[in-house]
Amino acid sequence: MDIAISSQVLKARRGTQLIFLVCGLGMASWAPMVPFAKDRLALNDANLGLLLLLLGAGAMLMMPTSGWLVSRFGSRIVMASAVLIMAFALPLLLILPSTAATAVTLFVFGAGVGAIDVAMNAHGVQVQNLYGQPIMSSLHGLFSVGGLFGSLGLGFLIKLGLNPVYAIVSIAALMILISITQYRHLFPVDTERHIIAQFATTEEKPTGTSQRFGWLHGSVLFLGVMCFAIFLAEGAILDWSAIFLRDTKGLESELAGAGYAAFSVAMAIMRLVGDRLVARLTSKTVVVGGSLLGALGLMLAVLSPWVWGSLLGFVLLGLGVANIVPLFFSAAGRLPGIAPTVSISAITTIGYTGLLAGPALLGFIAQQFSLSIALGCLALLLVLVALSYGALGRAD
């Protein structure tokens, strides 16, 4: 099979970027909805943490299956299906009157997030292989751009007087429209299989045994644990930044999404230039330096007596962790003897356990002590990431 790199790969790259944007848009639109859900359902921090647990649970339980679905049906079918699930769930999360119904819908929404995350990263690795140079940071940069519009867009539309339901329906419709227009530019399953075979050497071609036990490979587990910590920090900003800014810093609810927006802007900028940064520096430098900068940002957000100081802290966190997860996904896609759909599914699932455990853990810490102390614990976790990867990570 001949692949027209001059046209097909460029279109596939653009299509993949826009799918990353859609994922960021959908996920971040949930952030400004959290305070509304807390008030509507009359939840305390601990109960809210348990509710938020369902998003991570849906994502984590779907991810292992998503790897098989991508191998069987192809990335683009999984991505398109996941966009539909997320788009139909979002409006329901804003209007459902009971905690049980909201919990079920949040679980389904999380399953959509988990499916699209595995599929878009697996597809991105294949596009990168044909493109011939790093593109994963720029792909994740579009995710952050989507995060910016999602976190600010809903609050902004509501602030202008638009009914919240109409606002979120508009965002959901935009997600579906982008997915439909880009579907034909994404690689079909036969092309993806051809790319995997083309870029696998004799020693690296995955066998049934290697795929079956790929999750137990030391490198996979190490990358997964590192992803766990970074996803936990990112998930904390998604789920708790609006509550933190409103209840701790006194920011009004309509503007509480500014914390995740500041975080997303910083991530977007750093990721859009991240491919060049990663090409110049070693992976160890990016991970260690970024983790320490992120820890500094979290401490500034917690300790600053001013809202702008907390927003600056979220900016530093975004700058620090921006290129770490894309680097981990690229590394997983190059592990010898393990198919990318297996390794990426594995580290994504382990990483999203951070989204599963993180909201509930932070909620219990916040209930027993304070949300500021809970975020301070995340800063210590990022320091541990820096120390661990500095000692055991690859320096390529």
Side-chain angles (χ1 to χ4, degrees):
M1 179 188 301
D2 293 322
I3 300 175
I5 296 178
S6 60
S7 59
Q8 185 179 3
V9 176
L10 291 177
K11 291 178 180 179
R13 182 191 181 190
R14 184 178 67 247
T16 310
Q17 287 176 324
L18 290 174
I19 294 297
F20 270 80
L21 184 142
V22 166
C23 182
L25 178 64
M27 280 192 65
S29 294
W30 165 240
M33 293 166 60
V34 174
F36 292 101
K38 181 182 181 184
D39 294 342
R40 186 178 75 251
L41 302 174
L43 302 174
N44 60 30
D45 285 343
N47 289 332
L48 178 61
L50 289 174
L51 178 66
L52 296 174
L53 183 75
L54 273 298
L55 191 156
M60 192 185 75
L61 292 178
M62 187 63 192
M63 283 173 180
T65 305
S66 298
W68 177 83
L69 290 173
V70 168
S71 298
R72 179 69 176 83
F73 300 105
S75 300
R76 67 176 184 175
I77 291 180
V78 176
M79 286 186 279
S81 301
V83 169
L84 291 176
I85 291 172
M86 294 171 64
F88 282 107
L90 272 173
L92 295 177
L93 291 172
L94 190 63
I95 62 176
L96 289 173
S98 72
T99 302
T102 302
V104 171
T105 305
L106 193 59
F107 179 88
V108 173
F109 178 75
V113 171
I116 195 172
D117 206 308
V118 171
M120 69 186 187
N121 278 288
H123 192 270
V125 168
Q126 306 314 324
V127 175
Q128 179 175 256
N129 284 338
L130 291 184
Y131 201 75
Q133 55 184 290
I135 65 168
M136 290 301 289
S137 287
S138 62
L139 294 180
H140 283 261
L142 268 293
F143 173 87
S144 298
V145 171
L148 168 63
F149 286 109
S151 57
L152 283 183
L154 182 62
F156 180 73
L157 292 174
I158 295 173
K159 191 74 172 177
L160 290 178
L162 187 64
N163 184 296
V165 176
Y166 295 154
I168 195 61
V169 167
S170 299
I171 292 174
L174 178 61
M175 293 169 58
I176 294 174
L177 178 62
I178 294 175
S179 177
I180 290 174
T181 58
Q182 297 305 310
Y183 181 84
R184 64 191 180 90
H185 298 313
L186 304 173
F187 294 146
V189 62
D190 290 342
T191 300
E192 288 186 301
R193 290 170 179 168
H194 174 75
I195 297 169
I196 292 174
Q198 177 182 346
F199 285 87
T201 65
T202 303
E203 295 79 11
E204 293 176 337
K205 287 182 180 179
T207 64
T209 302
S210 67
Q211 292 195 53
R212 191 178 306 120
F213 296 102
W215 280 52
L216 302 180
H217 193 282
S219 297
V220 172
L221 292 176
F222 179 70
L223 289 173
V225 171
M226 294 294 98
C227 275
F228 170 91
I230 302 302
F231 272 123
L232 199 158
E234 292 186 19
I237 305 306
L238 172 66
D239 290 329
W240 289 104
S241 61
I243 299 292
F244 174 74
L245 290 175
R246 188 190 70 170
D247 295 351
T248 304
K249 301 300 180 180
L251 196 61
E252 55 185 290
S253 295
E254 291 82 357
L255 300 177
Y260 189 72
F263 173 76
S264 296
V265 168
M267 290 194 76
I269 293 173
M270 183 58 74
R271 282 176 169 173
L272 291 175
V273 302
D275 292 327
R276 292 189 294 272
L277 181 67
V278 170
R280 291 185 178 184
L281 302 175
T282 66
S283 58
K284 183 172 291 189
T285 300
V286 173
V287 174
V288 174
S291 298
L292 293 177
L293 181 61
L296 176 64
L298 274 173
M299 292 309 300
L300 177 60
V302 168
L303 298 177
S304 175
W306 305 288
V307 171
W308 65 263
S310 295
L311 293 177
L312 177 60
F314 291 141
V315 168
L316 293 179
L317 175 63
L319 293 175
V321 303
N323 293 307
I324 296 179
V325 168
L327 189 152
F328 289 157
F329 279 120
S330 293
R334 300 192 306 266
L335 290 177
I338 303 176
T341 53
V342 175
S343 58
I344 291 174
S345 174
I347 73 163
T348 306
T349 304
I350 298 171
Y352 262 85
T353 308
L355 287 179
L356 172 65
L361 177 61
L362 290 178
F364 283 120
I365 295 175
Q367 187 70 19
Q368 295 298 319
F369 301 98
S370 71
L371 187 51
S372 296
I373 290 178
L375 294 177
C377 291
L378 287 181
L380 294 178
L381 181 62
L382 290 179
V383 172
L384 290 177
V385 170
L387 295 175
S388 300
Y389 205 85
L392 302 174
R394 296 179 59 178
D396 55 351

